[in-house]
Amino acid sequence: LECFTGMPFGAMFLAVKSEPMFFPSPASLDPDKGLDAALETLGWTCDVWRGENADEALQQLQNVLRYGPVLLGPLDMGYLSYDPNHRHKRGGDHFVVVLAIENDLALLHDPQNYPFATLPTVDLIRAWAANHLGYAIVPYTLRYGFVEQRKLKREDTFRKALEVAKRSMLEVPNTEVVKGGSHAFLAVSSLLRQQPSEA
């Protein structure tokens, strides 16, 4: 499913002096847009809600849960307190599926090792605010009402996915700050060669 987002195809290097970073994903695509691409590729649609107020967001989540599971994200992994290592993951982005909210606890499915986790709603709101995730358009985003609009043959689905992958891999920016594709790998190798040996 992640392949349909286009995220695994490409490379990006951010030449930030204080903390240069390498990502095995394309420079032009963020996970939020990747979800839209995946749904389109699979022939599904959903409703998207975005907001900036925490109380309004929690109320909206409770409202739409009546129609089924809700995809929440991006979230900051540093506040997912059911994960024993969550404090070490601050600033990492993630998505989860919320199944229900009962007694100030959210029951959710986290595809990264926690299929039936419970999270206090106060922690959910902190994670959902995504204050340290640069690509988040607004603090709170949810997707619900997933509907299969058209049946697609498997070969057509794979063909569309490969088209997305090709576009992602061909986009290779080469600026002072953002480098993509082969430029990203060359920048990383140059940086590594400059590091002093630990031996």
Side-chain angles (χ1 to χ4, degrees):
L1 188 60
E2 188 174 4
C3 289
F4 293 144
T5 68
M7 294 302 297
F9 306 103
M12 175 175 63
F13 180 77
L14 293 180
V16 182
K17 289 185 178 180
S18 59
E19 190 179 356
M21 293 176 284
F22 176 82
F23 299 92
S25 55
S28 61
L29 185 65
D30 66 51
D32 198 53
K33 293 178 181 176
L35 283 171
D36 294 335
L39 288 168
E40 168 65 22
T41 297
L42 294 167
W44 285 67
T45 62
C46 70
D47 294 310
V48 181
W49 182 91
R50 293 183 171 92
E52 299 185 7
N53 179 275
D55 292 334
E56 184 183 1
L58 187 58
Q59 184 61 56
Q60 180 69 11
L61 174 59
Q62 292 172 317
N63 290 341
V64 299
L65 276 169
R66 293 179 295 177
Y67 306 107
V70 178
L71 180 64
L72 236 58
L75 307 176
D76 188 324
M77 297 178 75
Y79 298 100
L80 300 179
S81 53
Y82 52 80
D83 181 346
N85 298 311
H86 69 280
R87 288 186 179 87
H88 303 294
K89 299 179 179 180
R90 185 70 52 85
D93 64 324
H94 201 42
F95 291 79
V96 300
V97 175
V98 178
L99 305 172
I101 293 182
E102 299 175 0
N103 302 321
D104 295 325
L105 282 176
L107 174 65
L108 56 86
H109 171 77
D110 182 336
Q112 194 171 67
N113 303 322
Y114 300 97
F116 284 99
T118 55
L119 183 68
T121 53
V122 63
D123 288 342
L124 178 68
I125 287 295
R126 287 174 181 156
W128 195 9
N131 291 322
H132 303 290
L133 305 181
Y135 68 85
I137 300 173
V138 295
Y140 307 102
T141 300
L142 60 80
R143 289 174 167 82
Y144 67 99
F146 292 87
V147 177
E148 187 176 21
Q149 291 283 47
R150 60 193 187 280
K151 290 283 187 183
L152 297 176
K153 294 180 180 179
R154 178 172 294 192
E155 54 266 31
D156 293 334
T157 301
F158 289 153
R159 186 179 299 109
K160 288 177 69 70
L162 288 171
E163 289 171 0
V164 171
K166 182 179 179 180
R167 284 198 304 271
S168 298
M169 295 181 76
L170 289 176
E171 293 174 356
V172 287
N174 186 24
T175 68
E176 287 296 317
V177 178
V178 181
K179 299 182 183 297
S182 60
H183 303 297
F185 287 104
L186 289 171
V188 170
S189 65
S190 175
L191 182 66
L192 292 174
R193 283 195 296 271
Q194 295 170 23
Q195 300 300 313
S197 173
E198 296 181 1

